[in-house]
Amino acid sequence: MASDIQTDEAAAHGLFHSYDAMEGLPLSPPAPALAAAAAPAWPGARLVREIWPGFLVAATIALASTWLSQHYTAPVMLFALLFGMAFHFLHEEGRCVAGIEFASKAVLRLGVALLGARITVAQILGLGAMPIVMVIAGVATTIAVGALSARLLGRRLTYGILSGGAVGICGASAALAIASVLPRNEDSERDTILVVVLVTTLSTLSMIFYPIIAVSLGLDHVHAGVFLGGSIHDVAQVVGAGYSISPQTGDIATYVKLLRVTMLLPVVFAIAYAAARAHRGTAGAPKAALPLFLVAFAALVVANSLGWIPKPAGDASAEVSRWCLVAAIGALGMKTSFRALVAVGWRPVAVMVVETAWLFALVLTAVTLFR
């Protein structure tokens, strides 16, 4: 019969074993009976086990950021971004990587899609034709500026097209879609990773400084939303920057940004067609798929415009959307690494800085002229 001391010793070992698990240390394999009991009972159990550690970190950052924002009247998105960047090491390796990726992609898209429940067609039509013309001109000219800058700075033409599309359309998502149809070379993988890192970094900096510029220039909520939605690269940072000023600015910025996202399809198809003509002997490039979150966003806008969404459901949708976006911003902060830029030369960075500066100047000029 085990004594009380032996029982306490076993409990202590179990306690420290649980501390090891919290620190991410490997656990000893369970006994066969326990392993059988822990077997997944449904198909999604394995996926849940993989994503919950990183998702829990992102959710915790969202809770902490919301509390600080409410008590210190500061932008919740900025708190989430800074907290996320402080925990960047969690995204480098370990159990949290899958959950961070899930929060920065799936949770983000859900949050953006749910924003459609608070926007109507009347609001969109009230903006006029200027945002549409501005978006088309911005995407086309930014890709052209990228191609020219890449040639002048000794980079491949494909790098200029890839980076210009990422800056002009929707950041990392556009970079991955465009890379899938560009001709392959020995630098393709490196250039794609580099563009993703740089566009995320530049978009993060834009999220911080562009709202300050918009407020300092005295832009109203409508024109500030057009400026932010037309000039910031990634969807998440556009949402974060817009809603850090006001809900109205966030709504308009999201709409303008999603106009840019819709440009992904014609741009990718045009690049694929041009690449196929230039390399007739190569296999056909894969086609781009229509983003489902964009379809959901548009469907909710239509439903809200027709009065099909009750007010309580719309309010709940807005609250869920806000939590999703704050968690996604925290996850994106954890994915942002400035150390990865140290080993890169200045030329590829300069190409993307020129593209970003061009888009900034074009959108700001358009907003100023049509105020």
Side-chain angles (χ1 to χ4, degrees):
M1 178 177 179
S3 65
D4 291 340
I5 295 178
Q6 290 172 331
T7 303
D8 291 341
E9 181 181 2
H13 280 295
L15 179 63
F16 283 107
H17 189 68
S18 68
Y19 288 161
D20 288 344
M22 293 172 64
E23 295 295 329
L25 299 177
L27 301 177
S28 59
L34 294 178
W42 53 288
R46 180 179 178 183
L47 177 62
V48 171
R49 287 204 309 270
E50 289 178 352
I51 67 175
W52 79 263
F55 176 77
L56 185 61
V57 174
T60 303
I61 289 175
L63 286 169
S65 302
T66 301
W67 187 89
L68 288 173
S69 175
Q70 292 173 348
H71 284 74
Y72 295 99
T73 61
V76 63
M77 299 294 185
L78 182 58
F79 277 127
L81 174 67
L82 296 177
F83 275 136
M85 294 174 66
F87 288 93
H88 168 68
F89 64 92
L90 292 176
H91 186 259
E92 293 181 341
E93 59 179 352
R95 299 172 60 194
C96 292
V97 174
I100 294 171
E101 290 291 333
F102 175 80
S104 67
K105 295 177 182 177
V107 175
L108 165 65
R109 290 166 183 167
L110 174 62
V112 173
L114 290 176
L115 287 175
R118 48 184 304 178
I119 300 176
T120 65
V121 173
Q123 294 172 337
I124 295 174
L125 295 177
L127 296 177
M130 187 271 285
I132 299 175
V133 176
M134 181 194 71
V135 164
I136 296 174
V139 171
T141 58
T142 301
I143 294 175
V145 168
L148 178 61
S149 301
R151 284 301 183 94
L152 293 176
L153 292 173
R155 305 294 298 179
R156 293 179 184 270
L157 177 63
T158 52
Y159 179 82
I161 295 174
L162 178 66
S163 58
V167 170
I169 303 175
C170 56
S173 299
L176 297 175
I178 294 173
S180 67
V181 300
L182 282 173
R184 308 294 296 176
N185 58 64
E186 63 272 17
D187 297 328
S188 295
E189 294 294 336
R190 184 198 65 185
D191 287 349
T192 302
I193 294 172
L194 178 59
V195 168
V196 169
V197 171
L198 288 174
V199 79
T200 302
T201 302
L202 290 171
S203 189
T204 300
L205 294 174
S206 300
M207 173 186 165
I208 296 173
F209 293 107
Y210 283 15
I212 299 174
I213 295 173
V215 172
S216 65
L217 292 176
L219 299 179
D220 58 25
H221 296 298
V222 173
H223 290 89
V226 173
F227 166 64
L228 297 176
S231 57
I232 299 178
H233 313 328
D234 281 317
V235 175
Q237 281 85 341
V238 168
V239 173
Y243 284 100
S244 69
I245 295 179
S246 72
Q248 183 184 4
T249 300
D251 290 346
I252 295 172
T254 302
Y255 159 65
V256 175
K257 180 59 185 178
L258 289 177
L259 278 180
R260 291 168 64 190
V261 174
T262 61
M263 293 294 294
L264 181 62
L265 294 182
V267 167
V268 170
F269 291 152
I271 293 173
Y273 177 75
R277 293 200 60 179
H279 302 271
R280 292 183 183 275
T282 61
K287 297 181 179 180
L290 184 66
L292 293 180
F293 76 94
L294 179 61
V295 176
F297 177 90
L300 286 174
V301 170
V302 172
N304 194 34
S305 302
L306 296 174
W308 293 351
I309 301 178
K311 189 178 186 305
D315 293 341
S317 176
E319 187 66 15
V320 173
S321 174
R322 187 185 72 82
W323 280 103
C324 288
L325 293 173
V326 175
I329 289 290
L332 285 168
M334 287 186 278
K335 292 176 62 176
T336 303
S337 172
F338 293 101
R339 186 178 63 180
L341 302 179
V342 175
V344 179
W346 65 272
R347 294 178 189 273
V349 178
V351 171
M352 297 196 67
V353 170
V354 169
E355 295 164 350
T356 300
W358 166 261
L359 186 62
F360 171 86
L362 177 68
V363 173
L364 186 58
T365 300
V367 169
T368 302
L369 290 177
F370 291 94
R371 289 181 65 177

